[in-house]
Amino acid sequence: MLAFLSLCAPIFAVILLGWAAARFGLVAPSVVDAVGHFSFHFALPALLLRLMGSQPLGQSFEPVFFAGYLAVCLAIFFSVLAIARPWQRRGAAAAMGAGAAMGNVGYLGPPLLLPLLGERGAGPVAMAIMSEVAVVLALGSLLMAPAMPGAGLRAMGRALRSLLVNPVLLSIAGGALVGAIGLPFPGPVDRFLGFLGGAAGPTALFALGGTLGRLAVGRRLLLVAGGLSAGKLIAYPLLVWLVIGVVLQREWFWVQAGVMLAAMPTATNAFVLAQRNHAGTEEVSATVLLSTLLASLLFPLTAWLVTPAVAVP
C-alpha cells in the first residue's frame, strides 16, 4: 500500500500545487486557463496519438471491455438521475448523474495508469474517454437543456459538433487508424510526439488544481457531494469489477484498468457542462472538489487492491 501511495503522491501533489497557486493568487486565472488549453489541445493529444499508434489496434481496443465499461457508465448516470429526480429538476438531476459518471480520465488517466500498466494502458484510457466524455456529454447536454420545444435537441447538436472537433477524441481516432494500418511513426515524428506528450501530465494536473482552486464546498452541499463522490469513487469501480471481471470474465489487465479508471474523481468537464446549462452547478462543483480530495487516498487503495506490488524508483 505504501508503494502505491508513494507512486500516486507526486501526481496529486502537482494538483495541490496548482490549487495553491490559484487559491493564493500566485497565478492569474488566465494563466491556469492557458496551461489547461495547451494540455488539452496539444500535449494530451500528442501523448494519446503516439501511444495508440505505437501498438496494434487489437491490443489497444477491446470491444467487450468498451461495451461493459460504457454500460456501467450509463447505469451510474441514469441511476443517480433517477434517485435525484424526485427532489430536483430534470436538468439538475442530469447534472448530478454526470457528476457521478464523468471521471477525470483524460487528465489523471495517463499519469496514474501508465506507470502501473505500461503503454498498453493507453487503450483503456482512450475507451474510458469515449465513454465518459463523448457519450455522457451528449446525453447530459440533451437532458440538462431548458424544458423548451427543441432545446434539448439543439443542445445535443451543439455537443455533438464540439465532439467532432475535440482534439483528444481526434487524436484517439488518429492513433487507432495508425495502429490498424501498422505503420510506425518516422523517428523525428515519434520523438516530436514523445517530447510534446511528455508535458501532458504536469500541465494537465497543474491546470486541474488551478481550476479546483476556484471552486468551494458549502456546508449544505457536503451531503450531496459526499453521496455523489461515493457513487463515483466506490460504486462505479465495484460495478466495473463486477461487470468486466465477473460477468464478462475479461483478462485481468482489463479488469485492473477498468476499475482504476472508474475510480478517478469527477471531471471538471462535468462542472463546465452543468455551468453551461445552469443546472446543478453548485452540487457538481462541490463534487469535483470533494471527490478529488478523497481520491488522493482512495485511488492508491483501489490500485493496491487490483494491482500486484510495484517497485518505487
Side-chain angles (χ1 to χ4, degrees):
M1 178 62 182
L2 290 177
F4 288 94
L5 283 170
S6 299
L7 186 67
C8 298
I11 294 167
F12 285 98
V14 178
I15 299 176
L16 178 62
L17 180 64
W19 176 88
R23 198 72 172 176
F24 297 109
L26 300 177
V27 295
S30 59
V31 174
V32 174
D33 292 340
V35 172
H37 186 88
F38 166 78
S39 179
F40 181 78
H41 286 85
F42 299 100
L44 186 57
L47 174 68
L48 290 172
L49 176 62
R50 179 175 179 267
L51 291 178
M52 291 289 291
S54 64
Q55 50 191 309
L57 181 60
Q59 181 176 314
S60 61
F61 183 77
E62 219 282 11
V64 177
F65 168 86
F66 178 63
Y69 193 93
L70 177 59
V72 175
C73 176
L74 293 177
I76 291 289
F77 176 81
F78 283 111
S79 295
V80 172
L81 188 154
I83 292 169
R85 188 66 183 92
W87 51 278
Q88 289 283 356
R89 293 182 177 179
R90 187 190 68 182
M96 293 181 189
M102 291 179 72
N104 226 320
V105 290
Y107 281 1
L108 282 171
L112 284 172
L113 256 69
L114 296 182
L116 294 171
L117 301 179
E119 293 191 352
R120 191 185 176 194
V125 170
M127 284 180 276
I129 290 173
M130 289 188 288
S131 299
E132 298 185 4
V133 176
V135 176
V136 175
L137 186 65
L139 273 175
S141 299
L142 175 66
L143 296 173
M144 290 184 214
M148 297 169 57
L153 292 177
R154 287 194 295 271
M156 189 173 185
R158 287 193 298 269
L160 291 175
R161 286 193 295 271
S162 71
L163 291 174
L164 290 175
V165 295
N166 184 298
V168 173
L169 295 178
L170 289 175
S171 69
I172 290 172
L177 179 61
V178 172
I181 296 172
L183 290 176
F185 291 113
V189 174
D190 185 70
R191 288 191 293 274
F192 166 75
L193 292 174
F195 183 65
L196 181 59
T203 54
L205 297 173
F206 186 87
L208 171 59
T211 302
L212 295 176
R214 307 177 199 174
L215 306 180
V217 180
R219 289 184 180 179
R220 70 178 185 85
L221 296 173
L222 274 178
L223 183 61
V224 174
L228 293 177
S229 297
K232 182 68 195 72
L233 303 176
I234 299 174
Y236 199 159
L238 281 173
L239 276 176
V240 167
W241 170 78
L242 179 65
V243 170
I244 296 177
V246 178
V247 177
L248 299 177
Q249 297 185 345
R250 294 295 93 189
E251 176 192 347
W252 186 245
F253 166 83
W254 296 105
V255 180
Q256 291 173 298
V259 169
M260 287 190 285
L261 285 165
M264 300 288 169
T266 299
T268 52
N269 280 342
F271 167 70
V272 172
L273 183 63
Q275 189 178 49
R276 184 182 302 156
N277 291 281
H278 307 288
T281 305
E282 291 184 344
E283 290 85 355
V284 177
S285 167
T287 303
V288 171
L289 188 56
L290 182 62
S291 66
T292 305
L293 178 63
L294 294 174
S296 64
L297 295 176
L298 289 178
F299 181 84
L301 174 61
T302 302
W304 175 67
L305 290 172
V306 298
T307 306
V310 295
V312 179

